[in-house]
Amino acid sequence: MAGQSISTKDRLINTVSEMLDGDNPQHILVEDVLTVSGVARGSLYHHFGDFPALIEATLVRRFSAGVDYTNAVMHEIAANSSSADDYWAQMYEMSNDAQHPHREHRRSERHRILGMAGSNARFRELLSVEQERLTVTLMDAIHMAQEKGWVRSDVDARAIAVFLQAYTLGRTVDDVAVNHLDPDAWTLLIKVVTGPLAN
């Protein structure tokens, strides 16, 4: 809207996010963030307490954007599929997109974010809220498909939700390999492994 200005907090987060997408995401300096954002040092500390907290808030926001996208797609598939075959075809199409080489950057960032949470209690607490939101929303979409008879109801929805996330992240093993696997072979494996979930 015209006349609305972005908040100082959002300006700082947006600046860090742009830097994370830049050429040197591992070496973001507080001085550079302040210069680019035009925010005073005192304002940064007022909103975040310290510079690492700004980085953490930015990473959580980026993680959240991925959560929101996944949630929307999963719910749309569960709500709008016309049959079990249609549901699974769309699920595999979504999976293929998530596994595609052009998504390597997102998979890699998500791994880094989850890795940070393993050694940083403050960040883990922030991230755990978004991770739970992702898992619960996936569970809701899976429950919807189970109620329609398209996914086995004797398999726990949380277990399915965690598994779907895990195999997508698992693709990063191949992302960093010298010899990459054939994408069609990976797609076939996913179908073989997830096929028994169909009712």
Side-chain angles (χ1 to χ4, degrees):
M1 264 185 178
Q4 271 192 336
S5 61
I6 189 168
S7 72
T8 299
K9 188 173 182 178
D10 284 339
R11 196 170 351 146
L12 287 164
I13 289 175
N14 292 346
T15 299
V16 172
S17 189
E18 288 169 11
M19 290 179 169
L20 287 169
D21 288 330
D23 295 332
N24 204 6
Q26 302 300 325
H27 297 95
I28 297 174
L29 303 175
V30 64
E31 292 80 8
D32 296 334
V33 172
L34 295 174
T35 299
V36 172
S37 68
V39 173
R41 186 178 297 268
S43 292
L44 184 153
Y45 293 121
H46 169 73
H47 288 288
F48 296 100
D50 58 30
F51 185 60
L54 168 59
I55 300 293
E56 293 161 10
T58 304
L59 291 172
V60 169
R61 182 165 300 177
R62 288 166 70 94
F63 187 89
S64 296
V67 168
D68 292 336
Y69 173 78
T70 301
N71 290 349
V73 172
M74 286 289 292
H75 275 271
E76 185 176 338
I77 291 171
N80 298 328
S81 296
S82 58
S83 66
D85 288 343
D86 183 33
Y87 172 80
W88 284 102
Q90 289 188 59
M91 287 291 289
Y92 290 131
E93 185 178 333
M94 181 193 74
S95 176
N96 287 342
D97 182 60
Q99 303 296 312
H100 196 277
H102 76 269
R103 297 274 188 195
E104 176 182 344
H105 174 73
R106 291 192 184 277
R107 288 190 296 270
S108 178
E109 180 175 82
R110 193 153 175 209
H111 260 287
R112 282 195 308 274
I113 289 171
L114 291 169
M116 271 182 63
S119 60
N120 179 331
R122 177 177 71 182
F123 183 58
R124 182 186 186 108
E125 187 174 334
L126 286 173
L127 188 65
S128 67
V129 173
E130 289 306 303
Q131 179 57 59
E132 180 65 8
R133 184 166 72 91
L134 171 58
T135 299
V136 167
T137 308
L138 291 175
M139 287 170 60
D140 290 343
I142 291 161
H143 277 306
M144 195 183 307
Q146 286 174 324
E147 288 171 0
K148 293 181 176 185
W150 300 339
V151 175
R152 286 175 49 171
S153 59
D154 62 330
V155 180
D156 182 72
R158 179 175 283 271
I160 296 171
V162 171
F163 176 73
L164 293 176
Q165 296 170 74
Y167 82 68
T168 299
L169 287 172
R171 183 63 190 269
T172 56
V173 171
D174 185 61
D175 289 336
V176 299
V178 174
N179 298 308
H180 298 291
L181 60 81
D182 179 345
D184 291 336
W186 184 251
T187 297
L188 177 60
L189 176 62
I190 290 169
K191 288 182 177 180
V192 168
V193 172
T194 60
L197 291 173
N199 217 1

